[in-house]
Amino acid sequence: MSNNKSSNNAMISFAAIINAEASRVVATMRQNSKYAILARQTMSSSYGSGSSAASGLDIDESLVDDPLVQEFMSLRRALFVNGLMLETSSSSALGDFGGGSESSRNNTNNKMGQQPLSCADFIRPFLKCIVSVETSGPITSQALSAVHKILKRDLIFGSDDVEKAVVVRDISEAVTMSRFEATDPDHDDAVLCKILHVLIDCVACPSGRLLSDDDVCDVLQACYRIGHQSGKESGFLRHCSRHAMREIAEHVALRLKENVAAGGSEDARLATWRDQLAKRASAFEKLYDEKQRTTTSSTPPRSPHHIAISPVNREGNESFDPVRGPGAIEDGGPKIDVGTPSSPPTRAPIEKLKSLPAPHASPAALEIFKFACSLIEASSSATLGAAKQKSASTSNNENGEDGTGSGDSGEAPTEKPLVYGGDRSEEAEQSLMLFGIELVGTFVETIVVSSATNNNVKNRYPELFVAIQDDLCKALTSLKPNAAPPVAAAACGCFTMLYATMRSELKLQLEMFMRVVLIPLCAAGKNKASSAANATSSNSAVTFNRETQRIALETVVDLCRQPHFVTDCYMHFDCDLSKACVFEELVSTLSASAFPANGARLSGANALSVEGLLAIVRTVSRSTTAESSSASSPLGGDSSMLLGESNGKKKASSTATNGFSDDGIMKNEDEEEGDSPAALRDELRGLDPWEYVKASAAPSGIARARGLRKSRALKRRLVVAAEHFNRSPKKGIPYMQEYGLLPENLTAKAVAKFLKLAPGLDKEVVGEYLGDPKDFQVEVLKEYADLFNFENVTLDKALRTFLDGFKLPGEAQKISRILEAYAARYFGANPNSCADADSAYVLSYSIIMLNTDAHNKQVKKKMTLEQFIRNNRGTNGGKDWPKETLVAIFDSIVTDEIRLTDDAAPKLSNSAWHDVMRACEVEQGKFDAPPDEFESRQYDADVFSLVWAPTAAAVAVIFERATDEDVLESSVEAFVAVARIASNHRMTDVVDHLVATMCAFVTKGAQRAVEMNPLRPGVALGEDAKTRSAAKAAFAVANAHGDDLRRGWCNVLDCVLHMRRLGVVPDDVAATPTDAEEEREPITSNNFITRQKAAQSGSLFRSFSALIGGSDYDYSLEEEKARLPEPTEREKALLEKSDTCARACKFSNLFADSKFLGKESLAHLVAALAWAAGDPAQPPQSADDEDAALFCLDAMLSVCYRNKDRARLCLPRVVSHIKAIVGAATQEPTPLVERAIFELLRVVRRVLPEQSGFQSHEGIANST
């Protein structure tokens, strides 16, 4: 009972809505004067020219109305006749809408003596009103509101999906063919917006899933034309149009995803749909047979007021209703049945029902996706393949033109190109491109991103996957350099999303996007020509270019943050002999963009370039151990002491400190054995270099890393060989033979392979070499042509590929010789494509002439298609070429010039992209399996060796020009991070360079501080944040990675001495450790000098002593310092900053931790101390010099005492230094000499007894 009651309420609700909406439409129609005039004309033609009274008929004039109005009135009466508006009506009145069975519905209608009404019957009058050309905007709008309400509330009913499909298809077709009279633009736009809303709900409603692929494309096409047909549409209408298309695309994508998630193939779903059609067709067959038997006898009269509402007829055939069967409804509008027999039925509706299209699936999604891609390419037209190009627009009866369409009804020709309105401005094209990217993004976000976790995009959506690889990636790669920033941002963001989700399948697409789009955009700011042009243009143009460059740099940073991007580029491009060095190009571009122009301030592009370089460094730093604290790491949690291999530098210790054994790391000896030039030359002798690389390849692991390293080394060698060949082929070939790149017994095949595959060759030189008439060069040309695979490739595409590797020479005989070799190879690969090789040669020569004619600006009168066809008559073995072949070749050459590809600056072309997709078809467009964490470490040293220098230089420039303390701290962190990675890979020269760079800032700042405030230089240091930051960085690297310092120790000690002059280095930094029994105070250099200076009392005596001794000590400065007043509060705060900096530098650790240094680093430290002390044979020239000499002597002895077990490494240098000091002493003793003699005795007592193999201490003393 409860179900029947709810069903009854649903029927009453549906009927009430239909009745109310029909009433509103009729009321709106009667307000139009046209229908009043039409009503009087109808009365006159029906009842004569006389009045109704004269004719003897008592007829109310209001009852005689327009047929469309009459249809609505009949519909309202039908609602009551069928009992739908009565609360006591049963659920069978609407069939199974309310859950009633079909038998109960038929029984009820048989009792009433009438046929049941379907959902299509109730909606049909509204649809007729929508498609009517005679209705005005308000009338159409009211009818659309009624349909929109039905769709919004999901009131479409039927006994099965077939019946619902017919209804929703009728609605979609009627709305897409909507016509109405134009009034004023505002009202017309309101109606068009309502059409868009109805189209959205037509697809979005539950029954919208039953629309066919063609129906969905028609709906989308109508939405597009509403906003873009004439180009004169308002911005609001265009915005609404695009919003509707996005909504439709999203629903189509979601349904496709749901269908795939539900399981089963499209064939299975199609079979289920056909079964439903067959069942309904079988039922109609029975009705057809029964009606055919009864048409011969007289039909009993039906109820005089039964209304038969005719459906919208799609094909012009006999109308049918999917519920009541064929022939149940007659055309011609609503009729008052007077009991006439029905017309004989036909089988056409049944056949039409059997061919009813299935619900939409992947074809509709694919067509919408490709349509969106065509918008991105900003072409003059964009076609929606499956659409019938019908327009939902208004009609102007007077002139049939303007933004609201024409008064003609019907369909536009199929496959008509979609033109972006009449607005062909650059701004409009950019806006359309942006919308295309947004539309594509709907599919990517809905389908691709959600499926990426399971890596099932290719398996679940094969057609869409190919479209992404081809159409979408090509469209994104076609981004112009002058693209608007929003377009550039959207395109770059979309590609980044694709790489993140479909990385393994986008190898070649990534290479094209990087080299054609990203790298040129990042380097745009460094193009002098463009900069000069921008300087003369408006300010907006300059901002436009800079903003686009910023977007490209941001994209590069995002890509570099991807876990596999850096290794992908290095492994698959830089280590591939056939690919460009994409990673190296990227690093070079970022490096160039990181430096501001002369005199210019730091820009956002400079900062982003540095961030890109640091992102690469962070990628390398991910291969770290967990031993380093992430909190103190400048690069975050992943920045710690790296695990990696040696890069040609000796390790300080053979013990692995990373948790792995030494066997797990690629040994330095193996690297030298396989990668050194001599070893590589010996290994290549007698072998083909490219086969050698293939033989060295491995699927993964250490073996793959070794193979790629060999390939990288060979690639470098080939580049050098190419340079020699470019200068002189005659001398280049012997050079390659000497280095093993060509066999000693030279063969044409080996030379041909080198000319085709070697990177860096001058294409003009290659063309001249191949065209040479000498026998060996002719043989090379033949072998060169045989290296190409032209199977199943058209002649023009094969010719493009062949000519891409060299430039045709200018001499006609050489061109002919080259084309003959090409034609022979092409005919051999495609014997059925032409009559013989001569035919291929003639057509190839004709293509070359056409290319020159079509794209040479000096040729004013261009060759036409007819002339091209005429020129090639009878050239295919005496016969004509197929016309479609010549037309396709002509169009291809005219629209896409055959041109040389510039390896340094490639451009996107149809032929280039064709080669990309052809490689993808043969599985050459996939990335190999990503390296695991252990294998990734094997590439870190090579990657870091490419990026460290530009990164350090760029960070140094930013550090030098920065004033903000946050920027300074970030730069310091970057320096420490780079040093950490270099130390891990034992790149001692890199660590030395980084320390020297930072120490240069410290020494410069210290000198400046002394000049600014000689009495209290620590105050000036407290004001100089840059010097303090540099000092922290320099000493942080020295303390943490001193084991990898070599020459850098000189810079560190020089920096210590400068900081000492500022008074921030503690006195006990270089204090020598004493024995436990020695209770006296250790003598430090500062204490010793202080006592010596204190003993000299009186300024007169000091001056006289300085005069006699030849010293230039500035004792007046010491007196002035002694008389200084107490520092102010500000000076105290600045001095505290200096002290804080000194504590952070940890000067004492430099010498206290020397016992942990490796042998080589320890030796360099002692040598650097001797260097910093100055020449011992020359007396100190100032108090600072003597203080430095004493300090360095203390430091040397401190290091020596702390390394007594390794005294052999440092003692000889210490003793030699002391001997030089004592030997240079004069009769007048100096603090330095006294200290040297004293310390020599301590060395003899404390160090020598523990050593064996040294000369005795008596010998040392005597020699001294």
Side-chain angles (χ1 to χ4, degrees):
M1 290 295 295
S2 61
N3 290 336
N4 291 335
K5 184 175 181 180
S6 61
S7 302
N8 188 47
N9 293 336
M11 288 187 297
I12 295 175
S13 175
F14 175 79
I17 291 174
I18 292 295
N19 182 63
E21 294 299 329
S23 175
R24 294 190 184 99
V25 173
V26 171
T28 306
M29 294 179 68
R30 285 177 173 169
Q31 292 178 359
N32 194 309
S33 58
K34 176 194 298 186
Y35 291 96
I37 297 173
L38 187 60
R40 290 193 292 270
Q41 292 176 350
T42 303
M43 290 178 58
S44 175
S45 60
S46 300
Y47 303 105
S49 58
S51 63
S52 58
S55 62
L57 296 175
D58 186 13
I59 298 177
D60 187 356
E61 188 173 345
S62 62
L63 294 178
V64 182
D65 217 329
D66 180 80
L68 195 55
V69 177
Q70 283 285 1
E71 189 160 352
F72 279 106
M73 299 302 295
S74 301
L75 173 63
R76 297 178 64 188
R77 286 195 296 272
L79 294 173
F80 289 92
V81 169
N82 285 272
L84 300 181
M85 292 296 294
L86 303 177
E87 293 187 2
T88 58
S89 61
S90 66
S91 62
S92 62
L94 279 180
D96 72 339
F97 174 81
S101 63
E102 187 169 356
S103 59
S104 63
R105 180 182 62 184
N106 292 335
N107 291 336
T108 302
N109 287 283
N110 288 337
K111 293 177 183 180
M112 297 176 64
Q114 49 190 308
Q115 295 178 346
L117 293 178
S118 68
C119 183
D121 293 331
F122 295 106
I123 299 177
R124 190 167 297 116
F126 299 98
L127 302 184
K128 284 189 175 183
C129 183
I130 292 172
V131 300
S132 175
V133 182
E134 299 178 353
T135 55
S136 61
I139 299 173
T140 304
S141 177
Q142 195 63 54
L144 288 168
S145 298
V147 176
H148 183 253
K149 189 174 295 185
I150 294 172
L151 295 172
K152 199 75 174 178
R153 301 188 181 184
D154 189 25
L155 297 178
I156 296 177
F157 63 90
S159 58
D160 57 13
D161 285 346
V162 175
E163 183 176 348
K164 294 179 181 179
V166 172
V167 175
V168 74
R169 289 192 66 210
D170 286 343
I171 294 176
S172 68
E173 182 166 358
V175 178
T176 55
M177 296 179 64
S178 175
R179 297 290 190 273
F180 60 90
E181 292 181 347
T183 53
D184 61 277
D186 292 339
H187 288 85
D188 293 341
D189 286 356
V191 179
L192 293 174
C193 287
K194 187 162 291 187
I195 291 176
L196 293 172
H197 284 293
V198 175
L199 291 175
I200 293 174
D201 286 323
C202 190
V203 177
C205 70
S207 299
R209 63 183 176 82
L210 302 173
L211 289 172
S212 67
D213 294 313
D214 286 348
D215 293 331
V216 173
C217 292
D218 286 346
V219 169
L220 190 83
Q221 187 80 328
C223 294
Y224 179 85
R225 285 197 172 275
I226 286 176
H228 307 84
Q229 184 175 20
S230 67
K232 301 177 183 179
E233 293 81 6
S234 64
F236 175 75
L237 187 60
R238 186 176 292 114
H239 173 78
C240 292
S241 170
R242 295 177 181 179
H243 169 73
M245 296 172 72
R246 280 192 294 267
E247 290 291 321
I248 292 171
E250 183 174 0
H251 284 289
V252 172
L254 284 172
R255 287 200 179 110
L256 177 61
K257 179 182 175 182
E258 291 170 358
N259 291 340
V260 173
S265 62
E266 290 192 17
D267 293 338
R269 286 189 289 272
L270 184 59
T272 302
W273 174 257
R274 288 173 178 170
D275 290 342
Q276 294 182 10
L277 291 180
K279 291 179 181 179
R280 182 161 290 277
S282 176
F284 285 0
E285 289 278 4
K286 295 179 181 179
L287 292 175
Y288 170 81
D289 295 338
E290 181 180 353
K291 190 163 187 179
Q292 195 174 30
R293 288 193 301 269
T294 59
T295 50
T296 55
S297 60
S298 60
T299 303
R302 292 173 288 180
S303 174
H305 294 292
H306 172 70
I307 305 300
I309 305 174
S310 60
V312 176
N313 195 342
R314 288 178 179 265
E315 309 293 341
N317 300 327
E318 179 184 359
S319 61
F320 75 101
D321 183 81
V323 176
R324 289 174 286 172
I329 302 175
E330 301 175 2
D331 291 339
K335 295 180 174 61
I336 300 178
D337 196 319
V338 292
T340 57
S342 59
S343 59
T346 64
R347 297 186 58 87
I350 299 177
E351 299 300 327
K352 183 178 179 180
L353 178 63
K354 291 180 179 180
S355 62
L356 192 68
H360 63 274
S362 59
L366 189 62
E367 284 297 333
I368 297 174
F369 185 84
K370 290 185 175 181
F371 167 71
C373 293
S374 67
L375 296 180
I376 301 174
E377 290 191 74
S379 57
S380 58
S381 62
T383 59
L384 185 60
K388 298 180 180 180
Q389 306 293 332
K390 292 177 293 188
S391 166
S393 59
T394 58
S395 166
N396 190 324
N397 288 340
E398 296 180 359
N399 50 26
E401 60 181 0
D402 65 58
T404 57
S406 64
D408 297 333
S409 60
E411 298 180 355
T414 306
E415 300 289 347
K416 181 178 179 180
L418 280 173
V419 181
Y420 180 73
D423 188 357
R424 304 300 298 277
S425 64
E426 183 177 351
E427 181 180 356
E429 288 187 1
Q430 301 278 7
S431 175
L432 195 61
M433 290 175 63
L434 182 60
F435 168 66
I437 298 173
E438 293 175 356
L439 201 59
V440 163
T442 301
F443 287 91
V444 175
E445 295 167 3
T446 304
I447 296 178
V448 179
V449 175
S450 61
S451 303
T453 53
N454 300 325
N455 198 21
N456 285 330
V457 180
K458 185 175 182 179
N459 298 329
R460 294 186 174 188
Y461 313 94
E463 297 88 357
L464 185 61
F465 170 78
V466 174
I468 291 174
Q469 270 193 324
D470 189 357
D471 299 80
L472 177 55
C473 289
K474 181 185 178 184
L476 296 176
T477 309
S478 66
L479 185 68
K480 298 178 181 179
N482 62 341
V487 177
C492 293
C494 183
F495 193 90
T496 304
M497 188 188 308
L498 290 177
Y499 175 78
T501 54
M502 297 176 57
R503 165 201 160 272
S504 61
E505 304 289 344
L506 299 178
K507 172 184 174 182
L508 302 181
Q509 287 81 355
L510 176 65
E511 180 187 14
M512 289 291 290
F513 189 77
M514 291 293 298
R515 303 196 71 214
V516 176
V517 179
L518 279 185
I519 293 179
L521 285 179
C522 292
K526 289 298 175 182
N527 190 332
K528 294 182 179 180
S530 64
S531 299
N534 289 338
T536 58
S537 61
S538 62
N539 293 332
S540 61
V542 177
T543 304
F544 172 86
N545 290 333
R546 288 178 180 174
E547 185 60 28
T548 304
Q549 183 193 21
R550 285 175 60 91
I551 291 170
L553 289 169
E554 289 171 353
T555 304
V556 168
V557 173
D558 289 342
L559 287 173
C560 291
R561 289 169 178 163
Q562 300 287 340
H564 301 296
F565 175 77
V566 173
T567 51
D568 279 345
C569 289
Y570 180 76
M571 292 171 54
H572 297 93
F573 301 136
D574 290 47
C575 295
D576 191 333
L577 298 183
S578 62
K579 301 295 180 185
C581 296
V582 176
F583 179 72
E584 198 168 337
E585 290 180 7
L586 177 62
V587 171
S588 177
T589 301
L590 292 175
S591 175
S593 301
F595 296 95
N598 294 334
R601 299 177 58 185
L602 288 174
S603 65
N606 302 139
L608 282 171
S609 299
V610 176
E611 179 63 24
L613 294 171
L614 292 177
I616 299 175
V617 173
R618 291 188 185 99
T619 300
V620 178
S621 71
R622 293 193 186 109
S623 303
T624 60
T625 63
E627 296 174 3
S628 179
S629 173
S630 61
S632 60
S633 172
L635 295 179
D638 290 330
S639 300
S640 56
M641 182 65 73
L642 283 179
L643 180 75
E645 72 223 55
S646 171
N647 191 33
K649 305 298 179 182
K650 293 183 179 180
K651 295 184 180 180
S653 174
S654 60
T655 304
T657 60
N658 45 40
F660 290 87
S661 65
D662 285 342
D663 294 337
I665 306 286
M666 293 178 65
K667 296 296 184 182
N668 195 29
E669 294 79 11
D670 293 340
E671 177 182 309
E672 293 179 355
E673 197 174 299
D675 293 345
S676 64
L680 197 59
R681 179 173 61 251
D682 295 337
E683 193 171 352
L684 281 175
R685 287 192 180 277
L687 298 177
D688 185 288
W690 288 269
E691 294 298 332
Y692 165 80
V693 170
K694 290 182 181 179
S696 304
S700 61
I702 297 295
R704 178 168 66 174
R706 293 181 186 276
L708 290 177
R709 179 166 294 172
K710 292 178 179 179
S711 177
R712 173 73 173 165
L714 179 59
K715 189 174 185 178
R716 292 196 187 101
R717 185 71 56 76
L718 286 172
V719 171
V720 176
E723 293 175 355
H724 283 77
F725 184 87
N726 294 338
R727 289 194 293 267
S728 173
K730 188 176 181 180
K731 297 180 180 179
I733 290 179
Y735 173 85
M736 288 181 277
Q737 288 178 297
E738 179 184 358
Y739 279 84
L741 298 176
L742 291 177
E744 293 182 0
N745 297 324
L746 193 63
T747 62
K749 184 175 182 180
V751 176
K753 204 165 189 178
F754 172 80
L755 296 179
K756 184 177 186 296
L757 301 177
L761 286 172
D762 188 329
K763 295 186 177 182
E764 186 174 355
V765 175
V766 175
E768 291 292 339
Y769 186 87
L770 292 175
D772 196 298
K774 296 178 182 178
D775 293 342
F776 183 78
Q777 277 82 338
V778 172
E779 185 66 22
V780 170
L781 175 61
K782 181 180 180 301
E783 294 290 345
Y784 182 87
D786 290 342
L787 292 174
F788 290 88
N789 180 17
F790 294 142
E791 189 174 354
N792 298 325
V793 182
T794 60
L795 184 69
D796 59 313
K797 292 181 180 179
L799 184 61
R800 288 180 187 273
T801 304
F802 183 72
L803 296 179
D804 190 58
F806 61 92
K807 181 180 180 181
L808 280 175
E811 189 177 343
Q813 292 181 350
K814 293 184 177 181
I815 296 176
S816 178
R817 192 177 297 110
I818 292 174
L819 290 182
E820 285 177 359
Y822 161 74
R825 173 58 183 151
Y826 182 81
F827 179 71
N830 302 278
N832 298 325
S833 62
C834 52
D836 49 34
D838 290 339
S839 301
Y841 166 78
V842 173
L843 184 56
S844 300
Y845 214 110
S846 180
I847 291 174
I848 298 295
M849 295 176 62
L850 173 63
N851 186 75
T852 304
D853 179 272
H855 301 285
N856 192 333
K857 296 181 179 180
Q858 297 180 355
V859 179
K860 303 301 180 182
K861 189 176 181 180
K862 303 296 184 182
M863 184 186 302
T864 63
L865 175 61
E866 291 75 15
Q867 291 173 335
F868 179 71
I869 295 175
R870 185 171 61 251
N871 293 341
N872 290 281
R873 286 177 181 171
T875 59
N876 188 16
K879 299 180 181 179
D880 292 343
W881 292 90
K883 184 176 181 180
E884 57 272 14
T885 300
L886 296 180
V887 171
I889 291 176
F890 182 87
D891 292 339
S892 174
I893 299 301
V894 170
T895 56
D896 186 11
E897 178 185 4
I898 298 178
R899 64 175 68 186
L900 277 177
T901 300
D902 186 359
D903 294 335
K907 303 293 183 182
L908 178 65
S909 63
N910 293 334
S911 57
W913 195 258
H914 175 267
D915 294 339
V916 169
M917 293 310 301
R918 194 173 181 214
C920 291
E921 292 174 359
V922 295
E923 298 297 327
Q924 294 180 1
K926 296 180 64 175
F927 282 114
D928 295 334
D932 57 21
E933 184 179 358
F934 187 73
E935 183 187 352
S936 295
R937 299 187 188 113
Q938 313 308 322
Y939 308 110
D940 287 346
D942 297 329
V943 171
F944 184 72
S945 64
L946 292 174
V947 76
W948 79 263
T951 302
V955 173
V957 170
I958 290 183
F959 183 83
E960 182 180 9
R961 302 196 180 193
T963 57
D964 184 74
E965 290 194 12
D966 292 337
V967 177
L968 292 175
E969 290 300 323
S970 299
S971 302
V972 166
E973 291 175 353
F975 263 109
V976 175
V978 175
R980 181 181 296 113
I981 300 171
S983 174
N984 178 75
H985 293 289
R986 300 298 185 261
M987 296 181 177
T988 57
D989 53 343
V990 178
V991 180
D992 288 341
H993 176 86
L994 295 172
V995 169
T997 302
M998 286 290 96
C999 287
F1001 288 107
V1002 177
T1003 55
K1004 185 178 179 180
Q1007 293 171 357
R1008 187 170 54 249
V1010 173
E1011 294 173 359
M1012 293 175 59
N1013 195 339
L1015 300 180
R1016 281 184 179 148
V1019 174
L1021 178 63
E1023 294 177 332
D1024 192 350
K1026 185 176 296 183
T1027 301
R1028 296 199 310 272
S1029 298
K1032 292 177 184 178
F1035 288 101
V1037 174
N1039 285 311
H1041 312 295
D1043 195 22
D1044 296 293
L1045 278 177
R1046 302 295 183 264
R1047 296 185 304 272
W1049 279 118
C1050 296
N1051 303 98
V1052 172
L1053 293 174
D1054 185 51
C1055 186
V1056 171
L1057 294 177
H1058 278 84
M1059 297 290 285
R1060 182 174 175 80
R1061 290 167 189 158
L1062 300 181
V1064 296
V1065 178
D1067 291 336
D1068 59 348
V1069 166
T1072 57
T1074 59
D1075 292 336
E1077 68 275 6
E1078 190 172 1
E1079 299 179 355
R1080 64 176 178 82
E1081 177 186 1
I1083 301 177
T1084 64
S1085 58
N1086 277 9
N1087 292 334
F1088 194 91
I1089 292 176
T1090 301
R1091 290 198 299 270
Q1092 291 293 327
K1093 290 180 180 178
Q1096 302 175 0
S1097 59
S1099 59
L1100 179 61
F1101 176 81
R1102 287 195 297 270
S1103 301
F1104 179 75
S1105 176
L1107 178 62
I1108 297 299
S1111 175
D1112 56 352
Y1113 293 162
D1114 188 3
Y1115 293 105
S1116 61
L1117 185 61
E1118 296 292 333
E1119 279 187 354
E1120 194 172 350
K1121 289 183 178 179
R1123 294 196 300 267
L1124 281 176
E1126 286 294 322
T1128 64
E1129 293 299 325
R1130 176 180 175 277
E1131 289 177 336
K1132 288 181 180 179
L1134 294 175
L1135 289 173
E1136 179 61 27
K1137 287 185 177 180
S1138 299
D1139 293 339
T1140 302
C1141 174
R1143 289 192 295 271
C1145 291
K1146 300 178 181 179
F1147 298 109
S1148 59
N1149 290 355
L1150 293 175
F1151 312 111
D1153 294 342
S1154 62
K1155 56 187 177 182
F1156 302 112
L1157 295 179
K1159 296 180 180 180
E1160 190 174 354
S1161 178
L1162 179 61
H1164 278 82
L1165 172 60
V1166 176
L1169 285 168
W1171 168 85
D1175 187 1
Q1178 299 294 330
Q1181 300 299 314
S1182 65
D1184 290 337
D1185 291 343
E1186 183 155 1
D1187 180 71
L1190 285 167
F1191 177 84
C1192 292
L1193 178 61
D1194 282 345
M1196 276 194 288
L1197 294 169
S1198 176
V1199 171
C1200 184
Y1201 294 147
R1202 286 182 168 87
N1203 292 273
K1204 290 188 292 184
D1205 57 334
R1206 300 187 295 173
R1208 295 171 180 271
L1209 298 176
C1210 52
L1211 191 58
R1213 177 61 71 102
V1214 173
V1215 172
S1216 175
H1217 183 72
I1218 293 176
K1219 288 171 60 178
I1221 293 175
V1222 175
T1226 60
Q1227 294 182 354
E1228 183 69 25
T1230 62
L1232 179 61
V1233 174
E1234 294 178 4
R1235 182 60 188 273
I1237 296 173
F1238 175 78
E1239 292 297 342
L1240 180 60
L1241 296 176
R1242 292 181 65 188
V1243 168
V1244 171
R1245 182 175 64 85
R1246 297 180 57 186
V1247 179
L1248 287 183
E1250 300 182 15
Q1251 304 300 318
S1252 61
F1254 276 82
Q1255 55 180 320
S1256 64
H1257 59 276
E1258 293 86 356
I1260 294 179
N1262 292 334
S1263 64
T1264 304

